[in-house]
Amino acid sequence: MCKQVTMVSVGAHLLHLDTLLQDIIQNNQKLKYASDRLVSLEHEEQSLSTGVELEKTHIKTLEGVLDIVQNMIDKSDNKEDSLTLDQAAEAFKELQEKFYEEYRLYELGELAVSLVAPLVKEKLSTWRPLESPTEPLNLFTQWREILQADQGALSVTQDPYHKLLWESWMPSLRITVSTWNCRVCEPLVDLIQVWIPLLPGWILDNIREQLILPRITQEVEDWNPMTDTVPIHAWIHPWLPLLGVRLETSVFPMIRHKLSKALVSWHPSDRSARLMLLPWHRVFSRGEMEAFLVKNILPKLQLALQELVINPHEQHLEQWNWVMEWKDLLPLHSLSGVLEKHFFPKWLQVLTLWLNHSPNYDEITHWYMGWKNMVSESLRAQPGIKEQFNKALELMNRAVSSGGQSGNQQPGAVESVSYLTNIEQSQLPGQRVRDRESRYELLAEAVRTASQVPQGFKELIQKRCEEQGLLFVPLTNRYREGKQIYRCGNIQLYVDRNVAFVSDNSGASWNPKSLKAVLDMAS
């Protein structure tokens, strides 16, 4: 029994030892956890301390930013010690240099719109853009450098410099354009050209489409080509580099329409039409220009050629010269077609009649070359024109051949016509051909010169009107005592036995006037 008690006591002791061991293990784990927790808390304390220091620094930084911003706001509200542009510039530079991250993070550039724009607008209140276009240029150059520093990530609508321009510079420009005389375009063109480097694309487009183009369009609508003394190209062409396509789509069609209406009663003897259209030759598209000329000019030139009388013995070239003055503007194929239809049939008919009356073939060959040299080289290269001159050569060759067979041939006629034919059909180099043709050029020049010499008092008046740019055209179905009545500038007159009779305003009486008096009254 003693033995059993002893064993129970040992077992109890062992159990107690096991419990103590477990307690030791648990306490050890708790100690380790407490130690780890202590280290963690120490790290956390250090991290929090660092964070506190960073926050203190950040607070100090924000306080510095706030001080600068608040100082600008306070000054802007203070009428006695108000904010100046120089102070604002220094403040923004300081914000960028000392507080770059905060400047970007809080988009402090936006303050320029509310703080700087009113100051700039006030400074521009006395600015006269058309008189001093560069006056505020340095100011905006400075603020572009300040506000666009590292602004690449911002869209154009967020860019503070763009907003500053829109709020402060654009009002001055709107007022200027609204009172601008469209016919004095150079100052505004110069102004825009000077400012283009400082203007973003969307503001420049707004100026073109919303300010300038509507004013030009309205001015063109009011333009009257019959009465306005200032040529329209003088105040439209300077805008071509800036407005370009915008003019082609909105303004040019209106100009062509008005010119077309003005040309309804135009006569080819009036050279002012060509002077008006010549500046548009390279401005209108080729297709639009050709279509305009074919519609409005070509029919009048056809009528002039129909009125041309071909007389080898006394040739007057007024109508011919009226037509040839347009050779550089009209499409070659169109002018060629007019000559083929309205000139060459009469010309060939005169040649045929001449050949049927025992002509002097030297005179005929000179006459042929004289007319040919009055046709430009580019026109002579047209197939239809070549064919007409070849027909003339064929007529001369047939006439010479038939004359020889009948025995009535003029001595040397065959040689003269053969010589001319060989020149025309020769394939020799151009210089040798020109050498052979040189003897005929004097004749062509003589014909042209003779056509410019006045043949009577009416022609003298017409020549003086042309020299002074005055209109001188016959009035359709208007006669006085059987004499044609002419429109001469601002007056009406007729010529009777080298005396000019001028109508009074009512047309009831006609009074003789000297040439000088006629020209003075007409102008």
Side-chain angles (χ1 to χ4, degrees):
M1 185 166 178
C2 254
K3 186 176 181 181
Q4 291 178 346
V5 172
T6 302
M7 293 200 50
V8 170
S9 176
V10 171
H13 182 69
L14 289 174
L15 181 60
H16 179 67
L17 288 175
D18 186 59
T19 301
L20 290 175
L21 180 61
Q22 292 297 324
D23 290 341
I24 292 171
I25 293 173
Q26 290 178 0
N27 290 333
N28 185 57
Q29 290 176 344
K30 289 179 180 180
L31 180 62
K32 186 178 180 182
Y33 172 79
S35 177
D36 293 340
R37 177 62 177 164
L38 179 61
V39 172
S40 175
L41 290 173
E42 289 175 351
H43 282 295
E44 185 176 351
E45 180 186 15
Q46 184 179 359
S47 176
L48 290 173
S49 298
T50 303
V52 168
E53 292 301 322
L54 289 175
E55 288 299 325
K56 287 180 180 179
T57 303
H58 188 53
I59 290 171
K60 185 177 180 180
T61 300
L62 291 179
E63 287 175 347
V65 171
L66 185 60
D67 286 342
I68 296 174
V69 172
Q70 191 62 47
N71 184 48
M72 286 194 292
I73 294 174
D74 292 341
K75 282 183 173 293
S76 66
D77 295 334
N78 191 335
K79 295 182 179 180
E80 296 180 359
D81 185 21
S82 59
L83 181 68
T84 66
L85 284 171
D86 289 338
Q87 290 172 343
E90 290 300 322
F92 275 91
K93 289 179 182 178
E94 185 178 0
L95 287 171
Q96 290 180 346
E97 293 172 0
K98 295 183 178 180
F99 311 106
Y100 175 76
E101 292 298 333
E102 288 72 21
Y103 183 87
R104 291 292 306 276
L105 179 62
Y106 299 108
E107 299 180 358
L108 296 181
E110 293 292 328
L111 288 172
V113 180
S114 57
L115 295 178
V116 179
L119 299 177
V120 176
K121 193 172 182 179
E122 182 181 358
K123 186 175 181 63
L124 297 183
S125 61
T126 58
W127 179 41
R128 299 294 178 264
L130 298 183
E131 299 172 9
S132 307
T134 61
E135 183 179 318
L137 204 62
N138 291 335
L139 174 64
F140 281 91
T141 301
Q142 176 191 26
W143 280 100
R144 183 182 64 169
E145 294 173 354
I146 293 173
L147 297 177
Q148 285 194 329
D150 299 322
Q151 295 289 334
L154 296 178
S155 67
V156 293
T157 57
Q158 296 174 321
D159 193 308
Y161 170 69
H162 295 182
K163 292 182 178 180
L164 178 64
L165 276 171
W166 184 260
E167 295 293 335
S168 61
W169 185 81
M170 280 294 289
S172 297
L173 190 69
R174 290 191 192 98
I175 295 172
T176 297
V177 176
S178 67
T179 59
W180 158 63
N181 181 0
C182 295
R183 304 196 179 204
V184 185
C185 60
E186 286 79 7
L188 186 57
V189 172
D190 294 341
L191 172 67
I192 303 301
Q193 293 282 13
V194 165
W195 282 88
I196 280 179
L198 294 180
L199 299 178
W202 67 276
I203 288 184
L204 185 59
D205 288 340
N206 180 271
I207 294 171
R208 291 165 170 161
E209 297 172 4
Q210 303 300 321
L211 300 182
I212 297 174
L213 195 60
R215 288 297 316 281
I216 292 177
T217 302
Q218 182 60 51
E219 192 70 20
V220 173
E221 288 179 355
D222 297 337
W223 169 65
N224 186 343
M226 299 294 292
T227 59
D228 284 352
T229 57
V230 179
I232 190 171
H233 72 271
W235 48 276
I236 293 293
H237 286 190
W239 289 109
L240 291 174
L242 287 171
L243 299 180
V245 177
R246 296 171 176 84
L247 291 174
E248 294 178 11
T249 56
S250 61
V251 175
F252 289 173
M254 194 186 313
I255 292 175
R256 288 192 291 269
H257 176 69
K258 284 181 172 280
L259 289 174
S260 180
K261 291 177 64 178
L263 290 170
V264 169
S265 58
W266 170 74
H267 189 274
S269 62
D270 180 8
R271 290 176 168 84
S272 63
R274 182 178 178 274
L275 295 176
M276 182 177 292
L277 293 176
L278 187 60
W280 298 97
H281 183 45
R282 302 296 180 188
V283 176
F284 292 157
S285 68
R286 181 176 177 181
E288 293 287 359
M289 189 66 182
E290 290 187 0
F292 178 88
L293 292 171
V294 169
K295 177 183 177 182
N296 298 285
I297 300 299
L298 210 59
K300 303 295 182 70
L301 300 185
Q302 292 174 357
L303 293 176
L305 284 178
Q306 290 173 4
E307 296 173 359
L308 174 65
V309 176
I310 301 175
N311 184 349
H313 304 295
E314 187 179 359
Q315 185 64 61
H316 296 286
L317 294 175
E318 290 91 347
Q319 291 90 345
W320 174 266
N321 291 332
W322 296 343
V323 174
M324 287 299 108
E325 284 176 353
W326 291 88
K327 65 180 182 297
D328 296 329
L329 290 179
L330 285 166
L332 282 176
H333 62 87
S334 298
L335 185 55
S336 172
V338 171
L339 292 176
E340 292 174 46
K341 185 176 181 180
H342 300 284
F343 169 74
F344 279 105
K346 293 191 295 185
W347 186 72
L348 291 173
Q349 183 180 18
V350 170
L351 176 60
T352 302
L353 292 173
W354 195 1
L355 291 171
N356 289 336
H357 291 80
S358 302
N360 182 320
Y361 282 92
D362 283 339
E363 292 180 356
I364 287 182
T365 54
H366 280 71
W367 180 80
Y368 170 92
M369 288 304 300
W371 276 108
K372 184 171 183 179
N373 286 330
M374 284 193 295
V375 178
S376 67
E377 187 175 348
S378 56
L379 267 176
R380 293 201 303 263
Q382 295 292 307
I385 302 297
K386 285 183 179 179
E387 182 181 355
Q388 300 301 320
F389 283 115
N390 287 334
K391 286 181 180 179
L393 289 175
E394 293 173 4
L395 288 173
M396 285 186 277
N397 278 288
R398 282 202 300 269
V400 168
S401 300
S402 61
Q405 294 173 1
S406 63
N408 297 323
Q409 182 62 269
Q410 172 188 330
V414 174
E415 291 79 3
S416 178
V417 174
S418 297
Y419 178 74
L420 176 62
T421 303
N422 288 335
I423 290 177
E424 294 297 281
Q425 298 178 350
S426 174
Q427 299 300 319
L428 294 174
Q431 182 58 48
R432 295 180 61 186
V433 173
R434 285 193 294 272
D435 291 343
R436 291 189 175 192
E437 292 181 349
S438 61
R439 66 191 182 96
Y440 298 109
E441 292 179 357
L442 292 176
L443 175 65
E445 182 62 28
V447 173
R448 284 192 290 269
T449 303
S451 69
Q452 299 172 3
V453 178
Q455 301 298 318
F457 192 59
K458 188 267 289 185
E459 287 75 16
L460 179 61
I461 296 175
Q462 182 176 6
K463 183 174 178 62
R464 293 293 181 266
C465 287
E466 291 174 355
E467 292 172 351
Q468 297 186 21
L470 297 173
L471 178 68
F472 186 85
V473 296
L475 298 178
T476 306
N477 298 325
R478 292 289 306 280
Y479 298 89
R480 174 75 179 181
E481 297 182 354
K483 307 297 182 182
Q484 173 70 57
I485 296 177
Y486 296 86
R487 164 69 66 183
C488 179
N490 299 322
I491 62 174
Q492 296 182 15
L493 61 81
Y494 72 92
V495 178
D496 186 10
R497 285 176 290 186
N498 291 335
V499 177
F501 292 83
V502 179
S503 169
D504 61 5
N505 293 332
S506 64
S509 63
W510 297 76
N511 303 309
K513 299 290 182 181
S514 66
L515 176 60
K516 183 178 184 304
V518 167
L519 296 176
D520 290 341
M521 295 171 67
S523 58

